Amino acid sequence: MPRKGDATRGGNKQVPPKETRLTLRLDFEGAGRLGPGKMRLLELLEANGSISAAGRAMGMSYRRAWQLIDELNRTFSEDVVKTQQGGVRGGGAVLTQTGRDILNAYRGIEKKAQKVAAAEIALIARALSKS
Amino acid sequence: MPRKGDATRGGNKQVPPKETRLTLRLDFEGAGRLGPGKMRLLELLEANGSISAAGRAMGMSYRRAWQLIDELNRTFSEDVVKTQQGGVRGGGAVLTQTGRDILNAYRGIEKKAQKVAAAEIALIARALSKS
């Protein structure tokens, strides 16, 4: 059976570089912070329409998910998530326009950083242990 | 007391935005990670010529500082820090060329990300609570 890239790789031991994931944190001088966990929670909330489902998808208790959302709502001057009528767990939850704007901006920073700093990220990835 | 979404925001009340600090983490698929703590430690080590002094400057025990440096040395195929003769604590420590390259690349990613994503960072900063 023919193998890919047979004998010719010899001199040039190219080990495929490990996937390097860049994540961002934004710190607001003690006025809260944003990181990948909260942003993922917002994304899952948007997809599931519920805080509890979003938390569950991250292996998080409802209480913990709710705390993080509450923290986000306090960090910003307008709510990031709006819960809907129907009791504490009954109603759904949606991102507000502010919530969507913040999530989009955060993902935009990630994408731009990954792109503009591709050479530096590759340099670091190449220096990794081969094991 | 002004309430959220009070409609008066159209006026042009420019509150100076809080300082927003962007920090980066790089994750290498379970093969280690880099973040602001380790990078700061390398910087202080470079400035002080010693692991213990660098750790002290970060309020870290010698043991903890040493563990982080050891972790870094294992993460990369070449040592990031080289300790010099003179017993466990006696000799100094310096960054290797690999260590300097990685530190520079990391700072470069930060600088580029902050610059290229200035608009997104500003958008998020403007949405912060005014308190």
Side-chain angles (χ1 to χ4, degrees), chain A residues 53-127:
Chain A
R56 226 171 14 243
M58 292 181 75
M60 204 179 268
S61 69
Y62 176 78
R63 187 184 150 75
R64 178 64 183 146
W66 193 88
Q67 276 174 347
L68 291 175
I69 298 294
D70 187 52
E71 223 175 285
L72 279 166
N73 278 345
R74 287 166 197 272
T75 297
F76 296 99
S77 60
E78 294 178 19
D79 284 347
V80 164
V81 169
K82 185 155 270 155
T83 51
Q84 287 158 334
Q85 293 292 15
V88 180
R89 295 190 186 211
V94 294
L95 295 191
T96 62
Q97 186 57 49
T98 299
R100 276 192 298 271
D101 290 346
I102 289 166
L103 181 58
N104 286 338
Y106 180 89
R107 292 300 180 210
I109 302 170
E110 273 185 336
K111 236 176 257 169
K112 286 185 171 181
Q114 192 105 34
K115 191 170 174 184
V116 78
E120 288 84 354
I121 294 171
L123 180 150
I124 294 176
R126 275 197 306 273

Side-chain angles (χ1 to χ4, degrees), chain A residues 16-22 117-130, chain B residues 24-28 31-35 38-39 42 72 74-78 80 97-110:
Chain A
K18 290 195 174 65
E19 178 82 27
T20 302
R21 208 163 59 90
L22 180 135
E120 288 84 354
I121 294 171
L123 180 150
I124 294 176
R126 275 197 306 273
L128 291 171
S129 293
K130 299 298 185 293
Chain B
L24 297 170
R25 251 162 248 284
L26 293 169
D27 279 285
F28 312 113
R33 40 190 275 172
L34 289 186
K38 282 175 188 159
M39 294 298 99
L42 290 189
L72 279 167
R74 288 166 196 272
T75 297
F76 295 100
S77 61
E78 294 177 21
V80 163
Q97 186 58 48
T98 299
R100 275 193 298 271
D101 290 345
I102 288 166
L103 181 57
N104 287 339
Y106 180 89
R107 292 300 180 209
I109 302 170
E110 273 186 335

Side-chain angles (χ1 to χ4, degrees), chain A residues 6 8 12-13 15 22 24 28 31 33-34 39 52-55 71 83 96 99-100 105 107 113 116 123 128:
Chain A
D6 236 353
T8 44
N12 185 8
K13 288 190 199 164
V15 179
L22 180 135
L24 297 170
F28 311 115
R33 42 190 274 175
L34 288 187
M39 293 299 99
S52 56
E71 223 175 285
T83 51
T96 62
R100 276 192 298 271
R107 292 300 180 210
V116 78
L123 180 150
L128 291 171

